[in-house]
């Protein structure tokens, strides 16, 4: 019965998308697109290969051979005389049904509505997004704080989707975002997401050199802890993590001197909130520059993660972060884009980085183990629906092949890692076969900082044009894992995708 309902939904998507695409005028055009895809995934072990399930909006399960049926339709902003109208609206719906041994798992990775007024946009729902200065084409590891690894969280977001000119004929430009979201229930129920970002650019849009910088700030806050045992465990007397207006201000402005709190406010909050801050705070400081030549563009970037625990977090452990170089070729279709990255997170404010030791800008001191994206109150970590919201290389302990039920950190994220990654994409003639290749090698320090668990992961995806259904694509995806972190496995998925 449930499967029949899902099939009806997919056919309804097709009918709606074709109907909506039939409207329009000569001067006002509404861009609508849709797709339907079906396929099957098989693997030599129970665990799905890493690059088949990472950074795909959480729609590929970690385990199990399955058949999948997907479909979606989108309305983009209308244009008038080839320019986007000042006041506009759009929407998107992307649905997935995974079927494994007769059990249907229905997922809505995207379901949103958006509206635009001038330079500003607001949207609500679930929507695919990445945040930060890094590769956004899908061949890199993804931004360090929001990579598209998990199912998108329900959010309301206010933002400037495009660069906003701040003067001097576009020499200075900025992007901002501010959002509120809702986590799913885990060890803490009914908690919220606060997220904001600010990014700046120096360099006109067509300049040969552009410099970028910015910050992303995330905070999980509020909610009710489910491990209440009748004693004051540091959360507060009622075991609710406060979510009133003073607490929200403390989340938005995460500083020690909370001058807006009076003695009454301070006395009713738990010592965890008062000593540290309200919520689990994380984010990244980003730097990058772009050089454009006649044949190619080079984009160099660095994302430095931070946690609230350290006063100078993100500065003290400056060497931590995602380092990357992306090359985009204008004339070479065989290798259209190429990325090389390194992810290093072993400092975590345990020691002052070499740069600051050399310059003497900061006194050497121990700040503590930041333990990126983990938190004492929010013991599940920065996850949604069981998957890390951050880079997929920071993963839940439950996914580790060597996990033991006696270990204390069953729900923790494994965040001590040194990883190297290369990725490329292009088109192979004469059949116009599009491909993506991703290869990663990592040392994962799961239980201590002395013995790494090594891991190699490979992913190869191709899109081959075929004549079926009046023009479709054959989608194939190969994944291979070998090492200590995940099961040694070879997996493949095959499917057919039809787009309008």
């Amino acid at each position: 019965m449930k499967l029949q309902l899902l099939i009806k939904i997919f056919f309804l998507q097709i009918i709606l998308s074709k109907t909506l695409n039939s409207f329009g005028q000569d001067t006002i055009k509404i861009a609508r697109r849709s797709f339907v895809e079906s396929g099957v995934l098989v693997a030599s072990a129970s665990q799905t290969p890493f690059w088949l399930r990472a950074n795909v909006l959480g729609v590929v399960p970690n385990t199990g051979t399955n058949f999948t049926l997907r479909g979606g339709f989108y309305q983009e902003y209308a244009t008038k005389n080839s320019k986007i109208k000042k006041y506009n609206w759009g929407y998107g719906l992307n649905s997935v049904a995974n079927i494994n041994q007769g059990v249907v798992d229905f997922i809505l990775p995207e379901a949103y509505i958006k509206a635009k007024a001038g330079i500003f946009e607001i949207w609500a729902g679930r929507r695919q997004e990445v945040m930060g200065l890094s590769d956004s084409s899908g061949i890199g590891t993804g931004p360090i704080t929001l990579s598209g690894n998990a199912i998108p969280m329900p959010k309301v977001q206010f933002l400037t989707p495009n660069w906003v000119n701040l003067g001097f004929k576009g020499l200075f430009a900025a992007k901002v975002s501010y959002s509120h979201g809702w986590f799913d229930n885990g060890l803490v129920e009914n908690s919220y997401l606060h997220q904001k970002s600010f990014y700046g650019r120096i360099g006109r849009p067509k300049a040969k050199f552009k410099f970028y910088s910015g910050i992303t700030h995330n905070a999980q806050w509020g909610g009710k802890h489910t491990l209440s045992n009748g004693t004051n465990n540091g959360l507060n007397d009622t075991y609710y993590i406060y979510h009133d207006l003073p607490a929200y201000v403390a989340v938005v402005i995460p500083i020690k001197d909370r001058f807006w709190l009076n003695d009454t406010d301070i006395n009713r909050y738990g010592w965890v909130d008062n000593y540290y801050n309200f919520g689990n705070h994380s984010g990244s400081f980003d730097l990058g520059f772009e050089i454009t030549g006649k044949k190619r563009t080079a984009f160099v970037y660095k994302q430095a993660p931070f946690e609230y625990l350290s006063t100078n977090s993100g500065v003290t452990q400056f060497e931590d972060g995602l380092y990357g170089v992306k090359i985009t070729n204008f004339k070479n279709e065989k290798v259209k884009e190429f990325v090389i990255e390194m992810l290093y997170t072993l400092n975590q404010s345990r020691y002052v980085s070499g740069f600051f030791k050399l310059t003497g800008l900061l006194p050497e001191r121990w700040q503590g183990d930041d333990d990126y994206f983990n938190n004492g109150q929010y013991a599940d970590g920065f996850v949604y629906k069981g998957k890390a919201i951050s880079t997929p290389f920071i993963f839940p302990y439950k996914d580790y092949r060597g996990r033991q039920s006696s270990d204390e950190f069953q729900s923790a994220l494994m965040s001590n890692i040194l990883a190297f990654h290369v990725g490329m994409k292009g088109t192979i003639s004469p059949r116009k076969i599009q491909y993506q290749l991703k290869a990663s090698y990592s040392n994962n320090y799961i239980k201590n900082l002395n013995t790494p668990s090594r891991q190699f992961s490979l992913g190869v995806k191709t899109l081959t044009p075929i004549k079926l259904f009046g023009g479709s694509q054959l989608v194939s995806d190969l994944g291979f894992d070998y090492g200590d972190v995940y099961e040694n496995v070879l997996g493949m998925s095959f499917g057919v995708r039809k787009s309008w």
Side-chain angles (χ1 to χ4, degrees):
M1 185 67 181
K2 188 175 182 179
L3 179 59
Q4 293 177 346
L5 177 60
L6 292 173
I7 294 175
K8 290 179 181 180
I9 291 174
F10 282 112
F11 277 108
L12 178 62
Q13 290 179 346
I14 297 174
I15 295 171
L16 284 174
S17 62
K18 295 179 75 68
T19 302
L20 292 171
N21 274 310
S22 65
F23 289 93
Q25 300 179 7
D26 293 335
T27 56
I28 299 178
K29 294 184 178 181
I30 300 177
R32 297 185 175 98
R33 55 188 175 88
S34 57
F35 76 94
V36 173
E37 180 179 341
S38 63
V40 62
L41 186 152
V42 294
S44 61
S46 61
Q47 194 170 42
T48 305
F50 177 76
W51 279 122
L52 264 63
R53 56 184 167 84
N55 291 353
V56 290
L57 304 185
V59 301
V60 177
N62 285 9
T63 59
T65 300
N66 71 90
F67 173 79
T68 186
L69 184 63
R70 307 175 184 179
F73 59 91
Y74 303 84
Q75 176 177 298
E76 305 301 341
Y77 290 135
T79 60
K80 184 175 182 180
N81 298 328
S82 300
K83 294 183 179 181
I84 296 178
K85 295 177 65 179
K86 184 176 182 180
Y87 300 100
N88 229 314
W89 74 285
Y91 56 81
L93 178 66
N94 180 1
S95 53
V96 176
N98 291 323
I99 306 170
N100 184 22
Q101 297 181 348
V103 178
V104 180
D105 183 21
F106 181 61
I107 306 171
L108 272 179
E110 290 187 286
Y112 66 88
I113 186 168
K114 61 181 181 178
K116 177 182 179 295
I119 62 173
F120 300 106
E121 177 182 283
I122 186 171
W123 61 266
R126 284 180 173 173
R127 187 180 184 185
Q128 179 178 5
E129 61 174 340
V130 294
M131 191 169 290
L133 298 178
S134 72
D135 168 68
S136 59
S137 67
I139 59 175
T141 60
I144 200 166
T145 61
L146 181 60
S147 65
N149 185 57
I151 298 174
M153 187 183 305
K155 288 170 41 174
V156 176
Q157 184 171 110
F158 175 80
L159 72 157
T160 56
N162 302 309
W163 289 105
V164 177
N165 183 359
L166 299 181
F168 298 93
K169 298 182 179 180
L171 179 62
F172 301 100
K175 279 184 178 181
V176 298
S177 70
Y178 191 96
S179 54
H180 178 81
W182 293 263
F183 280 86
D184 58 330
N185 289 333
L187 294 177
V188 175
E189 298 177 345
N190 303 319
S191 62
Y192 307 118
L193 170 73
H194 166 72
Q195 189 176 70
K196 57 181 176 289
S197 68
F198 177 85
Y199 286 85
R201 186 195 72 204
I202 301 176
R204 296 183 174 92
K206 295 184 179 180
K208 292 185 178 180
F209 180 86
K210 293 185 282 290
F211 175 79
Y212 302 91
S213 181
I215 181 173
T216 296
H217 173 222
N218 311 302
Q220 183 178 4
W221 68 287
K224 178 184 178 182
H225 209 281
T226 59
L227 296 182
S228 303
N229 56 11
T231 61
N232 190 344
N233 60 2
L235 302 181
N236 50 58
D237 292 337
T238 61
Y239 304 102
Y240 282 89
I241 305 170
Y242 279 97
H243 52 272
D244 52 14
L245 181 58
Y248 180 67
V249 176
V251 168
V252 176
I253 310 174
I255 60 176
K256 282 281 188 179
D257 182 19
R258 303 165 197 160
F259 54 86
W260 58 89
L261 298 180
N262 55 42
D263 291 340
T264 302
D265 292 328
I266 293 174
N267 290 335
R268 62 193 177 91
Y269 297 139
W271 71 266
V272 173
D273 293 330
N274 282 319
Y275 184 77
Y276 294 110
N277 203 353
F278 292 82
N280 177 19
H281 292 255
S282 62
S284 69
F285 297 110
D286 298 2
L287 294 171
F289 63 88
E290 187 177 56
I291 302 174
T292 302
K294 292 182 179 180
K295 294 183 178 181
R296 60 187 59 90
T297 292
F299 179 42
V300 181
Y301 50 89
K302 161 69 187 296
Q303 291 190 294
F306 67 83
E307 292 274 340
Y308 177 77
L309 181 60
S310 295
T311 304
N312 292 295
S313 186
V315 177
T316 307
Q317 74 280 22
F318 185 77
E319 61 208 21
D320 277 359
L322 176 68
Y323 300 77
V325 179
K326 178 180 179 179
I327 306 296
T328 302
N329 293 303
F330 299 143
K331 298 182 179 181
N332 185 357
E333 292 295 329
K334 291 182 179 179
V335 184
K336 186 68 176 178
E337 298 179 6
F338 177 83
V339 167
I340 182 168
E341 293 180 330
M342 181 184 79
L343 177 64
Y344 182 91
T345 64
L346 299 182
N347 185 322
Q348 302 210 14
S349 195
R350 296 185 180 98
Y351 56 89
V352 177
S353 66
F355 172 79
F356 289 102
K357 284 182 180 179
L358 180 66
T359 60
L361 296 177
L362 286 174
E364 185 166 351
R365 66 196 183 283
W366 182 83
Q367 284 289 336
D369 186 352
D370 280 337
D371 204 6
Y372 298 134
F373 306 107
N374 285 295
N375 184 263
Q377 287 195 101
Y378 301 91
D380 289 319
F382 197 52
V383 302
Y384 185 73
K385 299 294 185 182
K387 286 184 176 286
I389 300 170
S390 60
T391 170
F393 285 94
I394 295 178
F395 59 93
Y397 177 72
K398 63 181 178 60
D399 294 340
Y400 172 48
R401 65 180 295 187
R403 65 188 182 278
Q404 298 179 11
S405 58
S406 59
D407 290 333
E408 297 177 359
F409 38 84
Q410 293 293 321
S411 61
L413 294 173
M414 304 295 100
S415 62
N416 292 283
I417 186 171
L418 170 61
F420 300 93
H421 174 84
V422 293
M424 65 178 69
K425 67 188 298 185
T427 302
I428 303 174
S429 298
R431 292 201 61 188
K432 300 296 182 182
I433 299 174
Q434 302 175 49
Y435 75 90
Q436 283 188 3
L437 183 147
K438 292 180 281 190
S440 309
Y441 175 82
S442 61
N443 285 342
N444 303 264
Y445 297 83
I446 292 177
K447 291 188 176 182
N448 58 67
L449 296 178
N450 298 317
T451 307
S453 296
R454 296 175 172 87
Q455 181 66 41
F456 172 77
S457 295
L458 175 71
V460 181
K461 183 176 183 178
T462 61
L463 299 173
T464 305
I466 56 177
K467 296 180 180 180
L468 190 66
F469 305 125
S472 305
Q473 289 179 314
L474 179 64
V475 182
S476 64
D477 214 342
L478 170 71
F480 173 70
D481 286 345
Y482 181 82
D484 306 320
V485 178
Y486 305 119
E487 293 183 31
N488 296 331
V489 59
L490 175 67
M492 299 187 72
S493 67
F494 301 93
V496 176
R497 182 185 179 99
K498 172 68 176 176
S499 301
W500 293 270

